[in-house]
Amino acid sequence: MKTILQALKDEVHYKLSSGFFENRLLERKLNGNDDCTAEIFTSKPFKGAVADCLISLIQAPNFSEGDISFSQSEKDKIFSLANSIYNAIGESERIVGEPAVYIGR
């Protein structure tokens, strides 16, 4: 049997820190050490945690992992996927703004 934490990592496909995954599960009131069942896998909290992790991928200015890097069009696709998940579970879409640079503060 797979834990909820492992199922989340497998759904996202990209490496984020274990602490980040655990935080998203805690925020969604899921225990990462519990067994992942079909009911949990299809639940709103689990799907929300997946979307939260996907959003984090596009917030990185130049996300790359090994030989994998995300172009802006790929980030746009990930953003659309995350927002479609949020819509499916009845949550508001997320808005990710342009990075801001402050000079002379």
Side-chain angles (χ1 to χ4, degrees):
M1 182 61 67
K2 185 181 288 199
T3 65
I4 296 172
L5 176 60
Q6 188 57 52
L8 179 60
K9 289 179 178 181
D10 291 345
E11 280 299 292
V12 174
H13 300 290
Y14 300 102
K15 290 188 183 215
L16 296 167
S17 73
S18 286
F20 181 83
F21 284 114
E22 291 167 1
N23 289 348
R24 298 297 66 79
L25 290 172
L26 285 172
E27 184 176 52
R28 298 285 180 165
K29 297 182 175 60
L30 293 170
N31 182 340
N33 294 319
D34 287 349
D35 288 340
C36 188
T37 63
E39 291 79 20
I40 290 171
F41 193 77
T42 58
S43 71
K44 288 181 180 184
F46 183 82
K47 290 187 175 292
V50 170
D52 295 342
C53 292
L54 292 174
I55 288 292
S56 76
L57 293 175
I58 62 170
Q59 290 175 328
N62 292 310
F63 178 80
S64 65
E65 175 188 339
D67 295 332
I68 299 171
S69 63
F70 292 109
S71 69
Q72 187 58 48
S73 66
E74 291 166 323
K75 284 184 175 185
D76 291 342
K77 289 177 187 175
I78 293 169
F79 184 63
S80 292
L81 174 60
N83 274 329
S84 71
I85 294 170
Y86 288 129
N87 281 329
I89 64 174
E91 292 186 15
S92 300
E93 289 186 358
R94 302 308 193 260
I95 299 171
V96 178
E98 295 294 319
V101 177
Y102 298 98
I103 300 174
R105 282 198 158 209

